[in-house]
Amino acid sequence: MPSLDDLRKRITSVKSTQKITKAMKMVAAAKLRRAQEMAEKGRPYSDKMNLIIQNLSRSINDPANAPKLLIGTGEDKTHLCIVMTADRGLCGGFNTNICKLAKNYFNKIIKESKNLKIITVGTKGHDQLKRDYNKYIIKKISLKDKKKISFQDAESIGKEIVKLFQNNEFDKCIIFFNKFKNVMTQIPQVHQVIPAKNDSDQKEDQPSSYEYEPEEEEILEDLLPKNISTQIYKGFLENSASEQGSRMTAMDNATRNAGDLVEKLTINYNRSRQAAITK
């Protein structure tokens, strides 16, 4: 049975931890408001860009002249997967849920005897994937030193993806991230960016009557690379809001659990103290 001194130290330790988790919860709540606003503002832009590309692709008369980023290589042998996670922990199941979805996709590709290449964005995703899939990881990207992720960061990743595609390194490119729904719910997403595919949840899917100048193929040559960077940036924004929401929930649970533990330890301390006095 622990001594009174041990119980007293344990209570003090748990109370200190409770102060830290409570502070982290408040910080996450403050960051969440801004991150949620950014994510919600970014959705219409990325969805509209997908819609424009979809309408442009319908207008192309000769698919043979269409950009490769739109129609792909015509093969399905090599898949490049971009797994986007956080660089910091203590955010509940945020990173684990993304990696779990990615692993299911990886296993499916490997089972079908296709080639797999992985780029991890965020150290936590790399840490979870390197044990089983290290030989498939071709690059690790960490943004830990960045206080705020900008579109330029997404654009640099997008340019690297386009460069790999132009060098015939892969046939399909898929990104994995968490879509923010609310503080309690973040939904892991699989989004194909090469060949371009519209899998957004928008209802506006009817072709619009647009007149393009210059020609559709020429517009797509410029628009498709930008769309890849835009979808990656959307993933960053959704991840940022999801990470703070998940951290806020996790720290709230930790704070309440610490409170329950302090209550139990205090009862044990008082009982032990009373027993010592009686004895």
Side-chain angles (χ1 to χ4, degrees):
M1 186 175 180
S3 64
L4 289 175
D5 190 46
D6 291 337
L7 286 169
R8 196 183 300 114
K9 287 179 180 177
R10 183 84 190 279
I11 290 169
T12 303
S13 175
V14 174
K15 282 183 177 179
S16 298
T17 303
Q18 187 181 34
K19 287 179 183 177
I20 294 170
T21 56
K22 189 174 182 180
M24 289 184 69
K25 174 195 168 185
M26 293 173 68
V27 170
K31 289 182 177 180
L32 174 62
R33 285 191 288 271
R34 176 65 177 162
Q36 182 179 353
E37 183 183 345
M38 291 287 289
E40 289 173 348
K41 283 182 178 179
R43 288 172 190 168
Y45 182 82
S46 60
D47 289 347
K48 192 67 179 178
M49 183 171 282
N50 266 337
L51 182 66
I52 291 172
I53 289 173
Q54 189 182 33
N55 287 329
L56 278 166
S57 63
R58 288 197 187 105
S59 305
I60 294 175
N61 297 321
D62 186 9
N65 295 327
K68 291 293 184 182
L69 288 173
L70 178 68
I71 61 174
T73 60
E75 297 184 352
D76 188 22
K77 292 180 180 178
T78 305
H79 289 231
L80 176 67
C81 298
I82 316 296
V83 184
M84 304 172 65
T85 57
D87 283 297
R88 294 172 178 83
L90 297 176
C91 49
F94 168 76
N95 296 307
T96 303
N97 291 338
I98 297 173
C99 291
K100 185 178 179 182
L101 181 67
K103 285 178 181 178
N104 290 336
Y105 187 88
F106 298 162
N107 293 335
K108 178 186 174 186
I109 295 301
I110 294 169
K111 189 176 180 181
E112 293 174 356
S113 300
K114 295 177 182 177
N115 298 323
L116 174 65
K117 295 181 180 181
I118 303 169
I119 295 178
T120 59
V121 183
T123 54
K124 293 300 176 182
H126 181 267
D127 292 342
Q128 291 194 32
L129 296 174
K130 66 181 180 181
R131 178 179 297 179
D132 297 324
Y133 304 96
N134 192 48
K135 66 179 180 179
Y136 301 107
I137 297 175
I138 62 172
K139 187 163 186 178
K140 170 190 172 184
I141 299 173
S142 174
L143 300 171
K144 188 180 287 186
D145 298 331
K146 298 274 186 179
K147 288 186 178 180
K148 184 179 179 182
I149 296 174
S150 64
F151 182 77
Q152 283 70 31
D153 298 314
E155 194 171 36
S156 65
I157 297 172
K159 286 180 179 177
E160 189 160 347
I161 292 171
V162 172
K163 184 179 178 182
L164 289 170
F165 183 73
Q166 289 172 344
N167 292 335
N168 298 318
E169 296 283 338
F170 65 89
D171 300 312
K172 285 188 176 181
C173 179
I174 298 94
I175 60 175
F176 298 83
F177 59 93
N178 255 340
K179 183 178 180 180
F180 179 81
K181 185 176 182 182
N182 53 49
V183 176
M184 299 293 293
T185 309
Q186 300 85 37
I187 307 168
Q189 301 287 306
V190 181
H191 182 68
Q192 181 177 303
V193 291
I194 299 176
K197 184 178 179 182
N198 181 26
D199 58 359
S200 63
D201 53 5
Q202 59 192 343
K203 294 180 180 179
E204 188 182 1
D205 57 359
Q206 294 298 321
S208 303
S209 299
Y210 297 139
E211 290 186 4
Y212 297 101
E213 186 178 340
E215 293 299 317
E216 289 86 345
E217 292 86 351
E218 194 173 339
I219 296 174
L220 284 169
E221 286 288 353
D222 291 331
L223 195 61
L224 286 166
K226 187 168 184 178
N227 180 57
I228 294 169
S229 301
T230 300
Q231 300 309 321
I232 291 171
Y233 187 54
K234 175 188 175 182
F236 277 136
L237 295 178
E238 295 286 352
N239 264 2
S240 180
S242 298
E243 180 187 351
Q244 299 304 332
S246 185
R247 180 172 288 116
M248 181 180 167
T249 303
M251 292 301 103
D252 182 52
N253 291 335
T255 302
R256 281 192 272 110
N257 291 339
D260 294 340
L261 184 56
V262 167
E263 189 177 336
K264 290 178 183 178
L265 289 171
T266 303
I267 291 171
N268 288 339
Y269 174 80
N270 291 335
R271 283 177 179 171
S272 299
R273 182 171 174 273
Q274 187 61 48
I277 293 171
T278 305
K279 185 176 179 181

